[in-house]
Amino acid sequence: MSENSSSPLFGIGGVTLLTVLLILCLTLFSVLALSSAQADLRLSEKNSRYISAYYEAENKAYTLMQMAEEMWPPGESRPSILSFGESLTAEYGLITAEDGAGIRIEADIPLQQGACLKVEVSIHPGGGASRWRIRQWQLIPPQQDEADIAYLPLLLF
């Protein structure tokens, strides 16, 4: 008697092994997705703090310009450079100098972690929007030393 029995392609052991591998792969992908989401959250929070600090520095610069505008209203004679510089807030390395018929104002407004907003504007007699000239409005990144930069060794296989 010959038995015609068809054996399954995979036995119970093969199906179990395939199920275990599938569960391991799904677990690995879920851990990687969670890790990526946490890294994105940290980066977003850091970026949010940095952008907020930048806009606070811009607010300080505009406040400084408004104070200068109040000290020298349109149509009045130019105040002396000394009184102008003493009256403005000097908390961010403020420099005032003559600029032809106007006054040049320079300030380094600090942000976080060593970065600063470098602002250089000049105010001239007259009125309207042409009274102000922005010479420099630049975000200066923090200086990094060679020791601060981490080098990863190159691995060759």
Side-chain angles (χ1 to χ4, degrees):
M1 291 184 130
S2 73
E3 289 187 25
N4 247 348
S5 66
S6 60
S7 63
L9 187 58
F10 289 106
I12 297 232
V15 172
T16 304
L17 182 62
L18 189 61
T19 305
V20 168
L21 286 176
L22 181 65
I23 290 172
L24 285 175
C25 286
L26 290 175
T27 304
L28 177 67
F29 287 138
S30 66
V31 167
L32 288 175
L34 180 63
S35 172
S36 176
Q38 287 176 338
D40 287 345
L41 177 65
R42 284 192 303 271
L43 183 62
S44 296
E45 288 173 345
K46 183 178 180 181
N47 191 30
S48 173
R49 286 191 303 269
Y50 195 79
I51 295 296
S52 295
Y54 175 78
Y55 283 119
E56 285 176 20
E58 266 201 349
N59 257 353
K60 289 179 184 178
Y62 285 123
T63 301
L64 185 66
M65 290 173 67
Q66 183 180 8
M67 289 169 57
E69 182 81 29
E70 290 171 358
M71 287 182 58
W72 187 14
E76 292 191 12
S77 62
R78 183 182 84 181
S80 73
I81 297 294
L82 184 61
S83 68
F84 201 79
E86 287 176 354
S87 299
L88 293 176
T89 307
E91 66 184 65
Y92 4 86
L94 187 69
I95 298 172
T96 55
E98 289 187 15
D99 184 28
I103 298 174
R104 187 180 75 235
I105 304 167
E106 297 177 31
D108 292 333
I109 304 171
L111 273 75
Q112 62 184 7
Q113 301 169 352
C116 75
L117 179 65
K118 183 160 185 65
V119 175
E120 183 179 339
V121 294
S122 57
I123 183 171
H124 294 275
S130 64
R131 185 168 191 206
W132 285 97
R133 291 191 189 116
I134 298 176
R135 298 176 174 269
Q136 184 177 17
W137 197 283
Q138 183 179 9
L139 178 64
I140 308 293
Q143 298 292 327
Q144 290 185 345
D145 295 333
E146 288 284 328
D148 291 343
I149 301 172
Y151 293 100
L152 297 175
L154 180 62
L155 300 175
L156 298 175
F157 293 102

